[in-house]
Amino acid sequence: MSETRTARTYNQRHIPRKYTPAGRRVSIYVSWSYPAEAGRNPAELDNRFSTLTEVRRVAWPAYEDPKWSDPYRFQQTIAGSLELFFWAWVAFQDYVEEVTGHPVPVYQRIDQAGFPTPLDERVLDDTDVLFVFGLDHMITRQEAQPGEIEALRSYLAREDARLVLGPHHDVGASDDLSVREVEHRHHGDPLVPRQQRFATYVRDLMKGLDVPVINRYGLRPATGEDNRIAPLSTVRDLDEKGWLNGVANFNFHMHLPHYAVTTDEPKAIHVLARQPIDTSRPHPFSEEGNTEFNMFLWMPPSGDRAADVLLADSTIFSTLFGADDSLRNFWRNLVT
């Protein structure tokens, strides 16, 4: 991957990309309100991102370089942690640009300066593959509007379109505090509070688009003796379009959502990859007898929808959690 040597810009309008038969135009839409997330009270324990100071304390000494730890160079509040997401998506953006020949814009539902960007034709008209990262805490009330649902329905009527939904985890949904503690000890991440519920916006999209999935829990993947994430359990005979060609594993993350299927119609949606769970750590989901959770799903075109709909967590596209050839193969398969 070549090193990016251009200057960074911010606070300007997107310049639409022209259609090219050889390369798909990829866009990322982050469903959060940046001010709502950055402005959460750090004294409140639940349903917020960590401050960068908390990240530095837990991950010490990983972020003690002055580019992270110097408050004159990098924000030490929740805003600093949010900026880590943007840093970690750059590798995915650069890789996709090399593969497709098009830059990859990142839209935010409400950005740092307070500008709202609903999911409408301004985002969709020059997009062939849309990633929606469901990283909005439910408490911030990011609700999809009817006009956005209709805009997406029109987008999905295009045969060349593709939608990748990534609602994040739903930790601590139970009112029973002892259950929340079991969940916390299962994933083992001290930066995640006992309750951290995400993705009102993407849940609204899934309901409006008849996507029969709900994001549940935050499950810790099993690892091997080398501490690498365990290989995926794949259903290759259902993978008609080769989404998983050359893909053996994703990247490790301590708390990944289970994408529970809510329909009994077998042809509506296909679970193409499941992730083995770390069963050495008790969790209500594994205590029900589950040893794997749904990690990657595909909804083939159906009815008026000519486009594919896929589900994969946003952490798969973030190098905060590592990247290898298997993961880059997955990235390539989704955007080509």
Side-chain angles (χ1 to χ4, degrees):
M1 187 181 303
S2 62
E3 181 182 353
T4 302
R5 296 185 179 275
T6 56
R8 292 178 60 84
T9 62
Y10 175 63
N11 206 27
Q12 67 179 34
R13 296 187 183 279
H14 172 63
I15 299 173
R17 299 156 291 180
K18 293 183 178 179
Y19 172 78
T20 57
R24 289 176 175 266
R25 297 162 297 179
V26 177
S27 300
I28 296 171
Y29 187 85
V30 185
S31 62
W32 63 33
S33 161
Y34 188 104
E37 300 293 352
R40 294 280 292 136
N41 182 1
E44 296 183 10
L45 298 183
D46 291 334
N47 294 306
R48 67 169 175 86
F49 289 108
S50 306
T51 66
L52 191 70
T53 301
E54 291 167 325
V55 171
R56 287 175 51 209
R57 180 183 295 118
V58 168
W60 191 92
Y63 290 95
E64 291 311 292
D65 187 289
K67 71 178 182 180
W68 310 116
S69 62
D70 183 348
Y72 289 174
R73 293 179 59 181
F74 203 85
Q75 299 180 82
Q76 301 300 298
T77 57
I78 292 174
S81 292
L82 298 185
E83 294 303 328
L84 290 181
F85 285 92
F86 292 107
W87 278 75
W89 289 325
V90 167
F92 175 65
Q93 291 173 266
D94 287 347
Y95 182 82
V96 170
E97 182 171 0
E98 286 197 1
V99 169
T100 66
H102 293 290
V104 180
V106 176
Y107 301 97
Q108 299 176 76
R109 186 157 180 76
I110 303 178
D111 72 7
Q112 288 89 332
F115 287 101
T117 301
L119 198 50
D120 59 22
E121 68 280 354
R122 295 172 300 168
V123 174
L124 299 173
D125 281 356
D126 80 323
T127 297
D128 304 310
V129 184
L130 176 66
F131 290 81
V132 182
F133 292 166
L135 290 167
D136 57 295
H137 282 88
M138 291 184 181
I139 200 169
T140 68
R141 301 188 300 277
Q142 300 306 306
E143 298 172 349
Q145 299 304 303
E148 295 177 285
I149 303 293
E150 288 308 309
L152 267 181
R153 284 192 181 277
S154 297
Y155 170 76
L156 294 174
R158 290 167 38 187
E159 291 185 359
D160 61 341
R162 186 173 301 159
L163 175 62
V164 184
L165 299 172
H168 202 30
H169 64 238
D170 186 11
V171 168
S174 173
D175 291 330
D176 187 332
L177 299 187
S178 65
V179 174
R180 293 187 192 179
E181 180 64 10
V182 169
E183 290 188 40
H184 184 81
R185 290 183 178 276
H186 169 78
H187 65 68
D189 187 348
L191 289 172
V192 170
R194 266 55 175 184
Q195 185 180 75
Q196 190 173 42
R197 307 194 67 188
F198 282 107
T200 295
Y201 184 78
V202 179
R203 284 188 173 192
D204 285 352
L205 295 186
M206 292 190 296
K207 181 178 179 181
L209 298 172
D210 300 317
V211 177
V213 171
I214 188 74
N215 56 312
R216 300 182 63 201
Y217 302 126
L219 295 158
R220 187 182 182 101
T223 56
E225 294 181 359
D226 57 358
N227 289 324
R228 287 175 54 85
I229 190 169
L232 295 164
S233 296
T234 57
V235 187
R236 300 285 175 174
D237 59 337
L238 293 178
D239 188 14
E240 299 172 7
K241 297 194 175 182
W243 306 113
L244 293 171
N245 286 351
V247 179
N249 58 267
F250 295 146
N251 49 2
F252 178 79
H253 186 59
M254 283 187 277
H255 27 82
L256 291 166
H258 166 56
Y259 289 150
V261 175
T262 59
T263 180
D264 295 327
E265 173 52 54
K267 295 184 179 180
I269 188 164
H270 303 308
V271 179
L272 299 185
R274 294 180 175 88
Q275 183 67 55
I277 304 170
D278 183 346
T279 54
S280 70
R281 300 162 177 254
H283 188 281
F285 186 66
S286 55
E287 288 174 355
E288 293 174 355
N290 299 290
T291 58
E292 300 176 326
F293 60 93
N294 297 344
M295 188 75 169
F296 176 56
L297 292 76
W298 169 47
M299 285 185 70
S302 176
D304 294 334
R305 178 173 51 79
D308 297 297
V309 176
L310 303 148
L311 288 105
D313 188 61
S314 58
T315 54
I316 296 172
F317 310 99
S318 170
T319 53
L320 274 177
F321 313 107
D324 58 13
D325 287 341
S326 174
L327 193 66
R328 284 183 283 270
N329 288 339
F330 183 65
W331 294 352
R332 181 190 298 111
N333 295 342
L334 292 190
V335 304
T336 57

